[in-house]
Amino acid sequence: MAHPDLLGSDHGLLLDDASGRIRYMPGAVAAERAQVWFAQLQRIEWHAERREMYGREVDVPRLTASFRLDDPALPAALREAADAVLGLTKLAFNSAGLNLYRDGHDSVAPHNDHLDELQRGYPIALLSLGATRRMTIRAKQPPRRVLNVDLEPGSLLLMSWRTQRHYDHAIPKTRTPVGARISVAFRRRPQGASGAGFYGTNEA
Ligand SMILES: O=C(O)CCC(=O)C(=O)O
């Protein structure tokens, strides 16, 4: 196993205090494996969503897909990725939310996960595939500490449950030419949580 002490050590810790814990693990998955998953997941059925914002319907600037991990029709690449993340974290996630950022115009606005749609105490594990994109993590309270993390293919970012209370995270648009990226967000949903209505009000 690449990181047997993944959750127990201070390896890759970007934040570890009363506001939560954030851990970045570049190379959690070998580059060739990440590339194969990326190629396979590009071919799943992706959804273009529209969302109401400030009284107008707008395109969500990325494509999305979501799966329960017990879905018998789970794409093979996602099954393998879920098993790898389980091996690394020893955490029994039960859902995967996928984002496909086609290029630098695609983004996700600052938001936090709704805590009632996450099993208390479970982190979110974000697996990155494809192009590297920067994530900005910003504290909600002054002095509004900011963490910028360049999420490389094959990396895993773990954000603890508590961080969702204290920080927003975003993938900003970029003018730098950049290829496609897929993120897979593994979460543990509480029983009965739909996974819909997932974002804060500023999401697009
Ligand atoms: O693409 C990412 O890494 C972030 C995705 C995200 O913030 C989300 O799915 O809530």
Side-chain angles (χ1 to χ4, degrees), residues 12-185:
L13 276 180
L14 303 181
L15 176 87
D16 187 15
D17 62 23
S19 65
R21 180 181 290 182
I22 298 177
R23 188 188 298 270
Y24 178 59
M25 308 287 308
V29 172
E32 305 74 42
R33 213 167 175 218
Q35 180 54 39
V36 170
W37 293 344
F38 176 66
Q40 292 181 2
L41 290 175
Q42 274 189 304
R43 296 196 292 267
I44 66 173
E45 191 178 326
W46 290 95
H47 306 286
E49 294 175 47
R50 289 180 62 80
R51 193 160 275 159
E52 186 158 321
M53 248 184 106
Y54 308 117
R56 271 191 328 127
E57 260 220 357
V58 294
D59 287 331
V60 170
R62 63 190 178 283
L63 302 180
T64 60
S66 63
F67 296 88
R68 289 178 54 107
L69 294 182
D70 62 3
D71 182 344
L74 198 66
L78 204 46
R79 173 83 279 143
E80 285 176 30
D83 288 347
V85 170
L86 173 65
L88 287 163
T89 65
K90 309 284 185 267
L91 293 168
F93 295 109
N94 59 9
S95 84
L98 285 79
N99 293 295
L100 170 57
Y101 303 87
R102 293 156 288 191
D103 58 27
H105 295 105
D106 277 353
S107 60
V108 64
H111 66 285
N112 62 269
D113 281 27
H114 289 170
L115 287 177
D116 59 350
E117 297 196 353
L118 292 176
Q119 180 77 47
R120 195 180 177 99
Y122 268 76
I124 304 166
L126 281 172
L127 176 67
S128 291
L129 306 171
T132 298
R133 290 288 297 263
R134 173 161 292 194
M135 172 173 276
T136 301
I137 302 170
R138 192 181 297 269
K140 297 180 191 192
Q141 299 298 327
R144 289 185 59 89
R145 175 176 184 193
V146 179
L147 296 171
N148 287 311
V149 195
D150 291 328
L151 298 174
E152 296 170 0
S155 70
L156 196 63
L157 183 82
L158 289 160
M159 287 189 284
S160 71
W161 186 88
R162 189 177 292 271
T163 55
Q164 301 306 311
R165 212 176 244 159
H166 300 287
Y167 297 84
D168 280 337
H169 56 278
I171 303 286
K173 296 183 193 307
T174 174
R175 288 176 200 269
T176 308
V178 66
R181 167 177 183 261
I182 290 173
S183 64
V184 186

